[in-house]
Amino acid sequence: MDELTQLIESAKADFAAAQQPAALEDAKARYIGKTGAVTMLMKELGKLPADQKRARGQAINAAKQAIEAALNERREAIANAALEAKLAAEAIDVTLPGRSGHTGGIHPVMRTWMRIEEIFRSIGFDVADGPEIESDWFSFTALNNPPNHPARSMQDTFYVDRQDGNGMQLPLRPHTSPMQVRYARTHTPPIKVIAPGRTYRVDSDATHSPMFHQVEGLWIGENISFTDLKGVYADFLRRFFETDDLVVRFRPSYFPFTEPSVEVDMAFTTGPKKGRWLEISGAGEVHPNVIRNFGLDPEKYIGFAFGSGLERLTMLRYGIDDLRLFFEGDLRFLRQFN
Ligand code: PHE
C-alpha cells in the first residue's frame, strides 16, 4: 500500500472512530487542516523535480478528495444518528390506549331544581334569582314578621359580620321568601314567578342541613284564590313525581306572611311508601301587609305563595333517607343519578 492510500485508510478509520462532531473535526484537522498530513505533502511538492510535480500533485489531490468524501459521509452519519436518538427519546407510543376524560354529572338536587323550573315555566311562571346575603327588611320585616320574631334569633339564622344602612346585621337568607318582595316590587301584576335557590339555617341532622335549597312560588293577580294554589301545587306534584298515584293535603298552619297559612303534605297511594304523609311545603294566601310591601293595593291584589324544600322533594323522588348524602360528595352516591 503506498503512502497516500495508507493516509486515506487511516483517515477513514479515525473518522469512523469519532462519535461526536467535535471529535470528527479534530480528526479532519489532522489530515486536511492547515497543518494536516495532506496539506504538508502539498507544501513539499515544490521541492520535487518539475517532471514529477504534476503526477504527484494529482495523486495528492485525489487522496484529499477521497478524505473529504469520507469526512462528509461521516458527518452525515453522525448527524443522522443524533436525529435518530432525539426521535427515539421523544417517541410517543401511539398504540397505548388513551386516558379517557372524566364526564361530570348533575347533582340530584340540581336535577330537581331543573325539573321544577321546567314544570313551572310550562305553565307561564317566570324564574327569578336573588341574593343569599339578604337584608333584615327583605328577610323578615317586609314579610310581616314582628320585630321580636324568633326566626330572627341567632339560634335560627346565620348572620354575616356586616350591617346594612339601617344598622341591621345582614342575615344569610333563611328562606327564599324575600324573593317574593324583591320580585313583586320590580314587576307589575299579574305576577307569576318561582325563585329557586340556596337558603341557610342553624340546623344540622339527618334531615336538616345548615345550607339547603328552597323554591319560592308566587302568583298575584286580581282574583288568585286558595283554589288556584291547590290546583297548581297538586298538579306540580303529579308532574314532578310523574304519577297520579298521590294525594295532597293542606293542613292549617301559621306563617306571618300568609293568611290563611298551610303546610302541604303528600302521600303516595301505591308503592312501598304508600299512605305515609310527608310534609313538603309551606304555603298560603299572601298577607295584605305583605301585598302592601310589594307596593300593591291589597284591596285589589291577592294571590298565593309557597316555599318548598328541594332536598325533601329529591329524597322523596329517589327514596333517599339521609339528607347528608347530598353534601358529602361521595361519587358512589352521586354516580347513581348520572
Ligand atoms: N318561607 C316559609 C319557610 O321557609 C315557607 C313559605 C313560603 C310559607 C311561602 C308560606 C308561603 O318555612
Side-chain angles (χ1 to χ4, degrees), residues 143 174-178 180 199 201 212 214-218 254-258 260-263 279 281-286 304-308:
L143 293 166
H175 52 183
T176 43
S177 299
Q180 290 183 31
T199 46
R201 277 184 211 171
F212 60 106
Q214 283 192 337
V215 57
E216 197 75 11
L218 180 68
Y254 172 78
F255 297 101
F257 34 94
T258 43
S261 300
V262 292
E263 301 282 351
E279 185 186 312
S281 190
E285 287 284 289
V286 178
F304 68 77
F306 63 82
S308 316

Side-chain angles (χ1 to χ4, degrees), residues 247-265:
V247 280
V248 186
R249 172 169 91 180
F250 295 80
R251 183 164 41 84
S253 184
Y254 172 78
F255 297 101
F257 34 94
T258 43
E259 180 59 38
S261 300
V262 292
E263 301 282 351
V264 186
D265 300 336

Side-chain angles (χ1 to χ4, degrees), residues 25-294:
E25 296 314 308
D26 283 351
K28 168 199 158 183
R30 289 201 293 280
Y31 296 94
I32 51 177
K34 265 190 203 146
T35 58
V38 178
T39 317
M40 296 322 271
L41 289 179
M42 277 295 201
K43 282 182 179 162
E44 282 162 18
L45 259 187
K47 294 175 195 158
L48 287 181
D51 62 334
Q52 290 178 26
K53 259 186 202 169
R54 186 182 161 85
R56 178 66 174 166
Q58 278 176 349
I60 295 172
N61 251 333
K64 189 182 177 189
Q65 277 166 17
I67 290 172
E68 274 171 348
L71 173 70
N72 284 334
E73 201 178 301
R74 184 60 187 148
R75 270 190 187 139
E76 216 169 290
I78 289 176
N80 279 343
L83 184 62
E84 292 288 335
K86 187 165 185 250
L87 288 176
E90 291 170 3
I92 299 166
D93 183 352
V94 293
T95 65
L96 269 181
R99 248 170 287 164
S100 69
H102 294 285
T103 315
I106 296 172
H107 192 278
V109 173
M110 206 58 213
R111 281 189 185 280
T112 294
W113 180 325
M114 291 158 75
R115 285 174 61 75
I116 290 174
E117 284 193 6
E118 195 177 297
I119 293 168
F120 278 97
R121 273 190 210 278
S122 78
I123 53 168
F125 277 71
D126 192 11
V127 177
D129 191 15
E132 291 168 31
I133 298 176
E134 255 299 359
S135 71
D136 180 90
W137 192 80
F138 279 113
S139 301
F140 303 114
T141 309
L143 293 166
N144 201 36
N145 280 270
N148 56 352
H149 194 276
R152 276 196 167 94
S153 86
M154 299 272 184
Q155 274 83 48
D156 290 330
T157 298
F158 289 109
Y159 287 86
V160 298
D161 198 8
R162 236 178 60 199
Q163 295 180 349
D164 64 18
N166 302 317
M168 300 295 282
Q169 213 163 338
L170 295 178
L172 294 183
R173 66 179 180 190
H175 52 183
T176 43
S177 299
M179 281 307 293
Q180 290 183 31
V181 191
R182 283 189 178 273
Y183 189 89
R185 286 169 74 88
T186 49
H187 294 77
T188 45
I191 286 165
K192 268 176 104 172
V193 66
I194 60 163
R198 275 173 284 278
T199 46
Y200 303 84
R201 277 184 211 171
V202 184
D203 227 348
S204 189
D205 58 38
T207 54
H208 296 91
S209 154
M211 189 283 290
F212 60 106
H213 298 80
Q214 283 192 337
V215 57
E216 197 75 11
L218 180 68
W219 188 353
I220 300 292
E222 294 190 13
N223 193 19
I224 304 301
S225 70
F226 201 92
T227 317
D228 296 306
L229 166 64
K230 287 179 111 171
V232 166
Y233 207 86
D235 187 56
F236 156 65
L237 289 179
R238 292 196 181 98
R239 289 181 64 184
F240 181 79
F241 290 105
E242 296 174 283
T243 177
D244 285 334
D245 298 338
L246 57 83
V247 280
V248 186
R249 172 169 91 180
F250 295 80
R251 183 164 41 84
S253 184
Y254 172 78
F255 297 101
F257 34 94
T258 43
E259 180 59 38
S261 300
V262 292
E263 301 282 351
V264 186
D265 300 336
M266 63 164 273
F268 293 107
T269 54
T270 55
K273 294 241 162 86
K274 176 181 163 180
R276 256 182 51 201
W277 288 103
L278 293 150
E279 185 186 312
I280 44 175
S281 190
E285 287 284 289
V286 178
H287 194 289
N289 288 345
V290 178
I291 299 275
R292 221 168 269 124
N293 289 331
F294 287 172

